[in-house]
Amino acid sequence: MRTQVAIIGAGPAGLLLGHILRRAGIGFVILEQKSREYVLGRVRAGVLEQGSVDILRELGLDADLTERGLTHHGIYLQYEGQRHHLDFVDLVGRTVTVYGQQALVRHLLAEHDRAGSDVRFEVGGVAPHDLDTDAPFVTTDDGERIDGERIDCEIVVGADGYHGVCRPAIPGIQALERSYPYAWLGILADVPPSTDDLIYALHPEGFAMHSMRSLEVSRLYLQVDPDESIDDWSDARIWEALQTRLGVPGWTLREGVITEKSITPMRSFVASTLEHGRLFLAGDAGHIVPPTGAKGLNSAIADVALLGRSLAAHFGGDDTLLKRYSASALARQWKVQQFSQWMTEMLHVHREVADPSAGAFRYRSQLGQLEYTTGSRHAQAALAEQYAGLPF
């Protein structure tokens, strides 16, 4: 088989890039190791920056988003039993939209089905070859044929996540990583949200967050230790902790049936480069952020928006953008990493501090950060500008 672009990975990055290429008249195939059911069942992020929403609308991929997405004008920062609202529209003239990654993937895939795109699932043994030549290719092995299949192409895109095969195919690539000493216990609950905008809360017992997936489903998080087991967290214990950490006078957190719960470690990771020859990385294959700043999905969309434009120019005879892709994408990503780290450290209790006095100092300094942020319009505007999204 021959095509122009072989995309490895059918997550949001790979699927969205396929739509961008299709609109530009560029041939592609998308190869995914997991099953369609697995890809559609992954529960992930749920906040879209203004720029992400704009890209989907520009591509005509916003029908489901318009119907089901929840536009939010800001967030709440909560500490010391008080809740403070940051109005993004007033501060920077932008909004964010709550729309689950699951819903986005489902819609992108449905649109590929409608368009007849070549998207393949349960493809085993995917491997890129000859990436530093003008004739790269990808091989697969379905376990039944000895030789598998060969797909000749001009460009290979690695949108296959942190554990994918594409990043290790880059010689000498380095990974800059940081693990955090806390994790998130996340739940989905069949109960209408108890808030109009997302709540980020710092509490002496740990961070908590109230988000949502729809007008009927709430998404909530608790800070826990990375080595804790979800089996130790009964539904009753989860709701008790949420009531304690999110509670403020005159407000009630509504409880409901928990339909999904899991514990996710928190880490930061950035690859030293996003390209090698004819291979280009996008999304989690090249970088991961802690979820506090709601940047993971948006970073993937930003990557493919830039890469899509660069590939369209490349196939039109201009390689200027493509040669700058890695540097441009990583420059934006490091700003995103800084914001995500700042939000994470400001809102989580640092239990790893052994000295009680040092721990108390650390917690009080976090309160100082929050007091400054909520008390300064300039600080609020800086947070709002980054949360609602840097330019693509």
Side-chain angles (χ1 to χ4, degrees):
M1 176 189 173
R2 175 173 292 278
T3 191
Q4 289 172 287
V5 180
I7 301 171
I8 301 177
L15 293 172
L16 182 58
L17 180 60
H19 282 293
I20 295 173
L21 297 180
R22 181 171 58 83
R23 190 181 191 194
I26 299 169
F28 65 92
V29 60
I30 300 177
L31 307 172
E32 170 59 49
Q33 178 188 14
K34 302 292 186 180
S35 69
R36 175 186 287 254
E37 292 72 24
Y38 179 89
V39 169
L40 290 173
R42 287 184 291 203
V43 178
R44 294 290 188 271
V47 178
L48 292 180
E49 299 172 358
Q50 182 72 61
S52 298
V53 173
D54 293 342
I55 286 291
L56 293 170
R57 285 179 176 158
E58 178 187 331
L59 294 168
L61 297 170
D62 62 329
D64 189 63
L65 170 66
T66 300
E67 179 181 350
R68 301 176 57 188
L70 304 176
T71 300
H72 286 253
H73 291 187
I75 62 170
Y76 292 99
L77 292 178
Q78 179 178 318
Y79 55 94
E80 297 293 274
Q82 296 184 341
R83 193 172 292 166
H84 305 262
H85 189 250
L86 277 63
D87 189 325
F88 293 172
V89 176
D90 177 55
L91 291 165
V92 296
R94 310 188 81 191
T95 63
V96 294
T97 301
V98 172
Y99 182 66
Q101 180 172 314
Q102 254 180 310
L104 176 60
V105 168
R106 186 178 298 108
H107 184 66
L108 293 177
L109 187 53
E111 289 299 297
H112 274 301
D113 291 341
R114 184 186 61 80
S117 302
D118 191 352
V119 183
R120 309 179 189 181
F121 293 93
E122 298 182 82
V123 180
V126 177
H129 306 273
D130 290 359
L131 299 171
D132 53 356
T133 74
D134 292 335
F137 63 97
V138 174
T139 56
T140 69
D141 179 8
D142 63 9
E144 297 178 0
R145 295 177 298 180
I146 296 177
D147 296 329
E149 181 179 11
R150 170 173 169 148
I151 300 172
D152 292 287
C153 54
E154 297 180 50
I155 299 288
V156 178
V157 174
D160 52 347
Y162 180 81
H163 299 288
V165 300
C166 290
R167 189 178 68 258
I170 299 179
I173 193 170
Q174 295 180 324
L176 305 177
E177 298 188 68
R178 177 189 176 184
S179 296
Y180 293 85
Y182 22 76
W184 273 15
L185 188 162
I187 67 167
L188 282 173
D190 286 340
V191 59
S194 305
T195 179
D196 53 346
D197 281 335
L198 280 66
I199 303 170
Y200 288 79
L202 172 66
H203 187 275
E205 293 186 10
F207 167 81
M209 179 180 177
H210 189 329
S211 182
M212 58 212 69
R213 281 296 176 268
S214 69
L215 295 176
E216 298 79 30
V217 177
S218 295
R219 180 74 161 153
L220 301 109
Y221 299 95
L222 288 167
Q223 174 187 347
V224 298
D225 293 333
D227 58 355
E228 290 197 51
S229 170
I230 194 65
D231 296 334
D232 295 330
W233 284 86
S234 66
D235 292 4
R237 183 187 179 191
I238 291 171
W239 285 118
E240 181 181 4
L242 287 168
Q243 293 285 2
T244 298
R245 299 185 196 183
L246 290 171
V248 293
W251 177 82
T252 301
L253 173 64
R254 288 177 283 195
E255 300 183 11
V257 176
I258 296 176
T259 59
E260 190 272 341
K261 57 183 176 180
S262 61
I263 292 178
T264 303
M266 300 178 69
R267 60 196 170 103
S268 297
F269 149 74
V270 183
S272 57
T273 183
L274 301 181
E275 63 183 45
H276 169 65
R278 293 299 185 95
L279 169 66
F280 299 88
L281 305 179
D284 285 0
H287 42 71
I288 291 173
V289 293
T292 322
K295 295 300 169 203
L297 174 59
N298 293 291
S299 292
I301 294 175
D303 281 355
V304 298
L306 175 58
L307 184 56
R309 289 196 298 269
S310 302
L311 291 174
H314 164 77
F315 286 107
D318 183 358
D319 275 347
T320 305
L321 288 177
L322 198 57
K323 290 178 180 179
R324 294 203 303 252
Y325 166 70
S326 180
S328 298
L330 286 177
R332 185 185 191 278
Q333 177 59 207
W334 279 114
K335 296 173 186 176
V336 168
Q337 290 283 347
Q338 172 277 139
F339 174 70
S340 298
Q341 177 178 264
W342 176 73
M343 286 279 286
T344 299
E345 293 184 338
M346 179 172 65
L347 289 163
H348 289 75
V349 173
H350 301 265
R351 299 193 182 98
E352 78 282 6
V353 180
D355 180 358
S357 177
F361 182 93
R362 182 68 177 266
Y363 185 79
R364 188 61 189 84
S365 70
Q366 291 173 254
L367 293 178
Q369 282 184 290
L370 286 163
E371 289 166 356
Y372 170 70
T373 300
T374 57
S376 165
R377 183 175 177 85
H378 295 293
Q380 291 178 40
L383 187 155
E385 179 183 40
Q386 295 176 88
Y387 195 101
L390 299 173
F392 279 13

